[in-house]
């Protein structure tokens, strides 16, 4: 069946419109709860959220949905997505829910679902839940309605877990770290974890008001962090996104370090210790050709998947890899987490910084990226990529880059945008390819 609600990363959209209303959220709770009513034990769901204004509305709606089919609910409050995955397992819950639209603006929100193993749901489970949204769902008898309670120590549990991802001998004493939490879910836990390990922390993006999540801050807007790193004399800057499953780093000179460089560092560090599994790293088609060439030079492979951390994770689990991620900053380290975790990934970077004794600008720039250009073309409707003119222009660009570059064109799974990316050794050819394709897409979408 076709998907009406679930995209590449759960359900996401503008709040109070389409799929992101309180009514739909309640129905998702009923459907997911029913799907995971397995066995005779008392069933439980863990629900976390980021700091969006609409989080209160959706949280209450989902509590109503889950309790109405007989599930008890544990509420975590504002917590990173990986914390929800972790606590779903730790609390022996049957399902976990994160209410977040990740790096999107506050007007959007989303619902991410985790199974009892802490991993995001399979396609089979998502399709089953999707099918139930169009059906009447049986409610629990009055005596079996679920209860809801909040737990107060969720932050402490998560901080303890992320700190365990480092060897006990490693401390961050002497490091000055600027941390941008995007006014999002990690605004309390990330600065606390770094401070507890001995670092001097300069926090920004830690005053959420419901509407400022990801607003000119966080991993998608690093300008404020760059300025803070330089002005404060910090050794390094850490930028998370709204639900803290992404990481972008800023070195002491204020230069941005993306997910490709972070994967190169973590992958080669683990390989040097004999701890890298799978013989390489898993990334998406968007990762730079420079990363692939660098890993190959180290005797390692780069396996590419479709865009989306779920595709990266699927390949990692199938191939026995323990390091994967996206250029955008999703870092999946399966030795420590079941989903992307920006704070855990940041700690691996900080540990390498401590052990090397080198400045971040030297340690984190392991390869020179080839020229790469990504542009987004927003469209109102239709399927512009199916237009004959667009197909012809794409074919011309592919021929021009053949043997010396790559072209990736795709429709976003979370917003009405066509993403056009080209890379190659000749910057002029790359720019010309992207410009011609974007123009054709814009014309077809008009």
């Amino acid at each position: 069946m076709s998907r009406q609600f679930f995209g590449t990363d759960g359900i996401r959209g503008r709040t109070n419109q389409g799929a992101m209303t309180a009514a739909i959220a309640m129905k998702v709770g009923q459907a997911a709860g029913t799907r995971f009513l397995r066995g005779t034990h008392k069933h439980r769901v863990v629900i976390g959220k980021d700091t969006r204004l609409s989080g209160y509305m959706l949280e209450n709606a989902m509590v109503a949905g889950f309790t109405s089919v007989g599930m008890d609910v544990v509420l975590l409050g504002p917590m990173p997505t990986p914390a929800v995955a972790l606590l779903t397992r730790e609390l022996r819950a049957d399902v976990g829910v994160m209410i977040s639209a990740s790096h999107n603006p506050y007007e959007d929100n989303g619902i991410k679902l985790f199974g009892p193993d802490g991993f995001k749901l399979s396609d089979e489970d998502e399709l089953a839940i999707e099918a139930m949204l169009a059906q009447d769902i049986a409610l629990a008898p009055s005596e079996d309605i679920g209860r809801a309670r909040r737990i107060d120590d969720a932050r402490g549990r998560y901080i303890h877990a992320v700190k365990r991802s480092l060897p006990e001998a490693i401390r961050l004493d002497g490091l000055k770290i600027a941390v941008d939490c995007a006014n999002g879910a990690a605004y309390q836990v990330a600065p606390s974890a770094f401070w507890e390990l001995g670092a001097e922390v300069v926090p920004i993006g830690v005053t959420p008001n419901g509407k400022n999540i990801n607003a000119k801050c966080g991993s998608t807007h690093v300008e404020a962090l760059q300025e803070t790193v330089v002005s404060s004399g910090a050794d390094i800057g850490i930028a998370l996104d709204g639900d803290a499953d992404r990481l972008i780093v800023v070195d002491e000179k204020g230069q941005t370090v993306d997910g490709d460089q972070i994967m190169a560092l973590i992958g080669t560090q683990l390989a040097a210790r004999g701890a890298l599994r799978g013989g390489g790293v898993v990334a998406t088609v968007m990762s730079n050709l420079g990363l692939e060439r660098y890993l190959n030079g180290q005797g390692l492979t780069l396996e590419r998947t479709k865009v989306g951390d779920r595709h990266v994770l699927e390949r990692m689990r199938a191939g026995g890899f323990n390091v994967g991620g996206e250029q955008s900053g999703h870092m999946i380290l399966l030795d420590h987490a079941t989903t992307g975790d920006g704070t855990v990934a940041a700690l691996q970077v900080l540990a390498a910084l401590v052990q090397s004794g080198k400045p971040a600008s030297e340690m984190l720039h392991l390869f020179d990226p080839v020229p790469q250009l990504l542009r987004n073309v927003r469209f109102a409707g239709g399927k512009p990529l199916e237009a004959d003119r667009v197909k012809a222009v794409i074919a011309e660009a592919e021929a021009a880059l053949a043997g010396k570059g790559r072209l990736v064109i795709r429709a976003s799974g979370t917003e009405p945008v066509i993403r056009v990316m080209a890379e190659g050794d000749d910057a002029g050819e790359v720019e010309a390819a992207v410009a011609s394709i974007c123009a054709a897409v814009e014309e077809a979408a008009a």
Side-chain angles (χ1 to χ4, degrees), residues 331-351:
M331 294 293 119
I332 305 175
L333 306 177
L334 283 182
D335 292 338
H336 309 296
T338 56
T339 188
D341 192 325
T343 307
V344 165
L347 286 174
Q348 313 316 305
V349 172
L350 294 171

Side-chain angles (χ1 to χ4, degrees), residues 268-292:
T268 52
Q269 289 273 317
L270 288 179
R273 301 199 299 266
L276 184 69
R277 299 199 304 275
V281 171
V282 180
T284 75
V285 293
M286 302 301 287
S287 279
N288 195 275
L289 185 58
L291 171 62
E292 185 172 349

Side-chain angles (χ1 to χ4, degrees), residues 226-291:
Q226 290 173 309
E227 181 180 340
T228 301
V229 168
V230 174
S231 63
S232 68
D235 298 295
I236 194 169
I238 302 298
L240 306 173
D241 68 335
D243 68 335
D245 63 355
R246 291 191 187 199
L247 167 69
I248 296 294
V249 174
V250 171
D251 69 24
E252 83 283 1
K253 296 179 180 179
Q255 299 299 308
T256 301
V257 180
D258 67 12
D260 285 347
Q261 296 282 2
I262 297 169
M263 282 187 282
L265 173 70
I266 295 175
T268 52
Q269 289 273 317
L270 288 179
R273 301 199 299 266
L276 184 69
R277 299 199 304 275
V281 171
V282 180
T284 75
V285 293
M286 302 301 287
S287 279
N288 195 275
L289 185 58
L291 171 62

Side-chain angles (χ1 to χ4, degrees), residues 271 276-281 295-296 298-303 319-322:
L276 184 69
R277 299 199 304 275
V281 171
L295 290 174
N296 291 165
Q298 303 295 312
L300 304 174
T301 62
L302 178 68
E303 296 220 11
F321 296 85
N322 58 342

Side-chain angles (χ1 to χ4, degrees), residues 391 393-403 405 407 409 433 437:
K391 291 180 180 179
V393 171
I394 290 174
E396 292 172 4
E398 287 176 335
L401 292 171
L407 192 63
I409 301 102
I437 294 169

Side-chain angles (χ1 to χ4, degrees), residues 45-51 55 58-59 62 73-81 83-85 87-88 95-100 109-112 114 150 154 185 243:
V45 57
V46 170
I47 301 180
K49 61 181 180 179
D50 64 23
T51 56
L58 297 174
E59 178 186 60
M62 297 203 77
V73 179
V74 177
L75 296 168
L76 306 180
M79 289 289 287
T81 289
V84 174
L87 291 170
T88 297
V95 62
V97 178
M98 179 63 181
I99 301 171
S100 173
N109 216 327
I111 299 170
K112 303 179 184 183
F114 296 91
R150 294 188 180 273
D243 68 335

Side-chain angles (χ1 to χ4, degrees), residues 80 103 158 179-187 189-191 194 214 217-222 225 237-249 329 341-346:
H103 59 283
Y158 176 65
V179 182
D180 184 349
C181 296
N183 292 313
Y187 78 100
V189 294
F194 300 139
N214 300 315
C217 59
S219 63
T220 52
H221 303 280
V222 298
L225 181 62
I238 302 298
L240 306 173
D241 68 335
D243 68 335
D245 63 355
R246 291 191 187 199
L247 167 69
I248 296 294
V249 174
D341 192 325
T343 307
V344 165

Side-chain angles (χ1 to χ4, degrees), residues 86 155-172 189-198 336 341 343-344 347-348:
L86 169 75
R155 290 198 300 271
R157 293 188 189 203
Y158 176 65
I159 290 170
H160 177 68
V162 298
K163 286 165 57 182
R164 284 191 308 180
S165 69
L166 290 184
E168 289 188 7
I170 293 181
R171 295 181 54 86
L172 304 182
V189 294
S192 295
F194 300 139
W195 176 82
E196 289 184 17
L197 287 166
H336 309 296
D341 192 325
T343 307
V344 165
L347 286 174
Q348 313 316 305

